[in-house]
Amino acid sequence: MRKVMSNMNWMILALLAVTMTAVAQQSASAPQNPQPVAVTPTEPTAAQPSQAQPGPAQANLAPPTTMDQVVDRVVLREKELIKFLAPRTPIVETYLQNLTQDPQLGPVPQDDHYFLGRMDLSQSIDRSDYLQDKGKDEGMEKHLLGEFTKKFKFQYQPLGFSWMIFVDRNDFDRQHYDFHYARREFLGDVRCLIFDLTPKKDAGRGRFLGRIWVEDQDFSIVRLNGTYARPTRNSYYFHMDSWRLNLIPGYWVPSYIYSEEGDFTAGAKNKIAFKAQTRMWGYNLKTGTAADELTNIRVDSVKDDTPTAQDATPLAAEREWQQQAEDNVVERLERAGLLAPEGDVDKILQTVVNNLEITNNIELPRPVRTRVLTTSPLETFSVGNTIVVSRGLIDVLPDEGSLAMVLSHELAHIVLGHNLGSQYAFNDRMLFSDEATYQNLGFKHIPEEETAADKKAIEMLKASPYAQKLETAGLFIKALQARAPQLSALLQAHLGNNITENGTVTRMAQLGTSAPALDWNKLDQIAALPLGGRVKLNPWDDKVEIVKAQPVAITSARDKMPFEVTPFFPRLSRYSAAGAPTATTAAAPTTTTAPATTTTAANADSSATN
Ligand SMILES: [Zn+2]
């Protein structure tokens, strides 16, 4: 059978490290290039009606003929984007790993930080956090641009990581910046003009310094790469590489930002070394105002499809009640932007669950459903008959067997009747702000139930088609154990049980003991993948899909990067009505639903890890 997901495909993206632009080489006082440059006017294509493509103010503008006119258009487009996004409050997630030098593996995580919030783009750029005991210095934080301060060691400003969604929120114009045209370049399918930007001498602090990529039809910025100019004595601005996606007609939406600092050359004294991924999504979520909450109260979510009006038996009522709680939770999480809408990834997870159920003769009154949590921390939980797995956890799992391991634990909870969350059948419990989700919902089992679920899960795995594939699952546990002490933020579950306790893997730990020795130098031993390689989250509508990319060979132990963050390198393409860039076309490898065939290909499966 084919694998659930293609392995390591996207590795090349990480290797194509983003080259920082040599802005310093440009003379800051070089005059604007006034000569006419051949900017090809874009020919309207038949397939894409012109009214669907450009932004509102764009349609009646003549194509620019000089670079100065192009710059004016870029500035106009950026202002239109800022206006367009002003009423939106997307979710912003930053996951950061501080690095230390490992003689063999290079820079590896030393510890980590996680920030999750919602951005308010209306006046300035602001954010409110989902996580408690964060954002204590909220008032001060608002005024800091993408910087971290030295005052108390290094204090990261979560807001700073999202600052580079725009070049300059307030003063992106020719009065504050010099634009130097560099050249053309394709980013994915999109032809771009590249400009190097330097702030004017008297433009003040916190001005963008770096390079922008502008697509050559509407002149929207699609990528920004650089930093902010003139750090103060007690603070630095960090470097960022910021990407936008054309997810809706006429606008390129800020989606990913990669940040990295640190110098690992011999003799370098790192004051700070980290890499961080910032993701934005939930642009199309409703703003969670109190009024909005009230209009969304569900008066009655139970469909009465039995016209005979018979009362439910006690057991039927109990199940109905649990179903109601489950529906409430799923709906509420989706509304908060924390759960992806049902989609193709669920079908893959569902197939693995089915394989486990069929081979174990599990028959439940209601089918088990699966959903993807949109966040990075590695966690799972179940509510009623819905199993939820985080995007980050699916990313790092090396193969289908390890996915089966993860799902089997939650399936075991369901089979054993470890029902949590029936209190959420009361609708008043759904009335909280999105940012308070983690304080209002929780699905943690007591330790006894965790142990029982592990035991039952291993039983089920051993009777399943995955019985022959548990070595890699065990290696995953070992890799997790090796990295757990450094990755406490990534391993902090926010809704379910932690996979580790105090730096030790507790979940399914038994599988680790029977696995082969973990060997980072063995290039064909892939125990865990970096973050971001499998699941692609659409920032506009929160849909998730499996990444389709060609496999890239691992050539050194440093290529493995288990659980690590890497730069982003999305393949850019223009929006098309037929299928947005993240359209859920069914090109992702799928699993077979016939468990009998999965056992026969166990060997082929384990060799396909390059
Ligand atoms: Zn559990």
Side-chain angles (χ1 to χ4, degrees):
M1 77 152 243
R2 286 178 296 167
K3 296 183 59 57
V4 183
M5 299 166 235
S6 50
N7 270 321
M8 313 303 292
N9 293 345
W10 41 275
M11 270 301 206
I12 191 134
L13 305 183
L15 300 176
L16 292 171
V18 179
T19 355
M20 295 303 288
T21 53
V23 176
Q25 288 169 4
Q26 303 262 350
S27 161
S29 56
Q32 285 290 125
N33 187 353
Q35 74 196 23
V37 186
V39 179
T40 345
T42 51
E43 55 276 56
T45 59
Q48 296 168 351
S50 55
Q51 79 269 16
Q53 283 302 301
Q58 191 74 9
N60 43 14
L61 290 177
T65 53
T66 66
M67 248 342 142
D68 278 357
Q69 288 175 2
V70 170
V71 168
D72 289 343
R73 195 66 78 82
V74 173
V75 168
L76 177 71
R77 288 301 290 144
E78 189 72 354
K79 289 190 191 308
E80 283 175 355
L81 178 73
I82 290 169
K83 202 173 150 198
F84 173 68
L85 293 181
R88 310 212 166 250
T89 55
I91 289 175
V92 55
E93 177 195 67
T94 296
Y95 177 58
L96 177 149
Q97 294 178 332
N98 280 316
L99 304 173
T100 184
Q101 178 77 340
D102 179 286
Q104 185 202 351
L105 297 172
V108 293
Q110 183 175 41
D111 60 65
D112 62 349
H113 296 275
Y114 182 70
F115 308 104
L116 184 73
R118 243 171 129 161
M119 276 194 290
D120 180 351
L121 301 172
S122 53
Q123 294 301 319
S124 59
I125 298 174
D126 195 5
R127 62 180 278 167
S128 52
D129 278 284
Y130 277 68
L131 310 178
Q132 267 178 332
D133 69 51
K134 290 279 194 301
K136 278 178 186 157
D137 304 316
E138 196 74 37
M140 185 184 75
E141 193 178 293
K142 280 177 193 169
H143 303 291
L144 292 168
L145 312 185
E147 64 182 355
F148 44 88
T149 63
K150 255 197 307 198
K151 216 170 176 183
F152 305 100
K153 290 188 180 176
F154 287 103
Q155 199 176 22
Y156 293 110
Q157 306 294 338
L159 179 64
F161 292 98
S162 42
W163 189 255
M164 212 184 266
I165 62 171
F166 302 125
V167 180
D168 186 323
R169 178 71 175 70
N170 302 315
D171 298 309
F172 179 54
D173 52 37
R174 286 203 228 205
Q175 286 71 56
H176 293 83
Y177 290 96
D178 287 319
F179 292 74
H180 306 280
Y181 172 70
R183 60 188 158 85
R184 289 174 198 280
E185 184 179 278
F186 271 94
L187 288 180
D189 303 330
V190 179
R191 191 169 59 177
C192 298
L193 307 171
I194 300 176
F195 293 90
D196 289 326
L197 261 66
T198 46
K200 301 252 193 206
K201 275 210 174 69
D202 52 356
R205 289 189 192 283
R207 297 298 181 193
F208 179 78
L209 176 69
R211 173 166 282 196
I212 58 171
W213 282 253
V214 175
E215 49 84 21
D216 71 348
Q217 282 185 16
D218 297 337
F219 305 99
S220 293
I221 297 170
V222 302
R223 182 184 177 194
L224 306 81
N225 178 310
T227 185
Y228 292 95
R230 307 213 190 100
T232 62
R233 185 182 297 180
N234 284 318
S235 67
Y236 301 91
Y237 297 111
F238 37 71
H239 290 84
M240 286 182 249
D241 186 32
S242 174
W243 293 80
R244 297 175 178 176
L245 299 176
N246 195 190
L247 302 170
I248 46 160
Y251 294 100
W252 288 75
V253 181
S255 302
Y256 310 116
I257 300 171
Y258 176 70
S259 322
E260 180 188 296
E261 296 293 335
D263 179 359
F264 287 99
T265 53
K269 278 188 190 155
N270 267 324
K271 290 186 191 126
I272 186 145
F274 73 85
K275 46 187 183 174
Q277 286 183 338
T278 297
R279 289 180 167 82
M280 280 143 289
W281 71 87
Y283 279 100
N284 211 21
L285 291 172
K286 292 196 188 79
T287 47
T289 61
D292 181 59
E293 300 290 348
L294 289 170
T295 60
N296 276 293
I297 296 180
R298 295 169 52 138
V299 178
D300 184 6
S301 64
V302 185
K303 239 192 315 185
D304 188 3
D305 45 11
T306 51
T308 47
Q310 228 172 26
D311 288 345
T313 65
L315 180 58
E318 175 69 18
R319 284 184 181 151
E320 195 76 66
W321 187 248
Q322 281 161 1
Q323 169 93 58
Q324 191 174 325
E326 177 182 341
D327 291 347
N328 278 354
V329 168
V330 165
E331 184 200 283
R332 188 65 191 87
L333 284 173
E334 206 177 301
R335 196 146 54 85
L338 295 174
L339 204 65
E342 210 169 346
D344 283 0
V345 179
D346 298 319
K347 286 181 195 150
I348 293 172
L349 305 185
Q350 203 90 54
T351 304
V352 176
V353 170
N354 287 349
N355 288 347
L356 291 165
E357 287 183 310
I358 292 167
T359 45
N360 283 280
N361 299 315
I362 294 167
E363 282 187 33
L364 296 164
R366 288 188 293 122
V368 173
R369 303 183 292 181
T370 58
R371 295 296 286 271
V372 179
L373 209 59
T374 48
T375 48
S376 290
L378 314 187
E379 67 174 307
T380 67
F381 65 91
S382 49
V383 52
N385 277 24
T386 297
I387 296 176
V388 178
V389 185
S390 68
R391 169 178 54 78
L393 181 53
I394 300 173
D395 271 345
V396 298
L397 292 172
D399 69 347
E400 186 177 346
S402 52
L403 180 60
M405 167 184 72
V406 163
L407 292 167
S408 67
H409 175 90
E410 294 302 336
L411 181 61
H413 279 308
I414 294 172
V415 169
L416 295 171
H418 294 169
N419 254 302
L420 283 182
S422 65
Q423 71 269 33
Y424 304 122
F426 290 107
N427 286 296
D428 61 286
R429 292 213 161 99
M430 297 297 111
L431 298 180
F432 48 81
S433 72
D434 292 346
E435 290 87 337
T437 301
Y438 291 156
Q439 287 86 62
N440 284 274
L441 297 180
F443 308 92
K444 284 186 177 33
H445 291 277
I446 56 171
E448 290 78 4
E449 287 182 349
E450 282 300 286
T451 311
D454 272 356
K455 188 164 170 275
K456 179 75 183 165
I458 286 169
E459 256 174 59
M460 291 192 291
L461 286 169
K462 290 199 168 148
S464 81
Y466 305 106
Q468 314 299 316
K469 303 183 187 179
L470 297 178
E471 272 196 2
T472 310
L475 276 170
F476 175 80
I477 297 285
K478 281 192 166 173
L480 195 61
Q481 184 54 66
R483 284 281 188 267
Q486 287 80 43
L487 302 179
S488 53
L490 187 66
L491 292 167
Q492 175 66 54
H494 296 281
L495 291 165
N497 285 86
N498 283 341
I499 296 174
T500 59
E501 299 295 340
N502 304 319
T504 302
V505 178
T506 47
R507 175 92 54 96
M508 305 294 276
Q510 194 194 318
L511 288 179
T513 56
S514 52
L518 185 69
D519 183 354
W520 298 122
N521 281 321
K522 234 178 137 206
L523 295 189
D524 61 349
Q525 188 192 77
I526 306 298
L529 308 187
L531 286 163
R534 286 207 191 280
V535 182
K536 190 167 162 185
L537 172 62
N538 182 315
W540 190 258
D541 59 18
D542 296 357
K543 285 185 181 158
V544 288
E545 63 171 320
I546 294 293
V547 172
K548 293 151 237 159
Q550 291 306 305
V552 176
I554 283 183
T555 56
S556 81
R558 294 187 182 199
D559 287 350
K560 292 186 180 178
M561 302 185 287
F563 310 109
E564 292 180 28
V565 300
T566 64
F568 294 107
F569 231 97
R571 181 171 180 88
L572 299 190
S573 58
R574 293 187 183 278
Y575 177 86
S576 75
T582 47
T584 51
T585 45
T590 49
T591 50
T592 167
T593 43
T597 59
T598 58
T599 44
T600 56
N603 294 333
D605 192 55
S606 59
S607 66
T609 47
N610 57 355

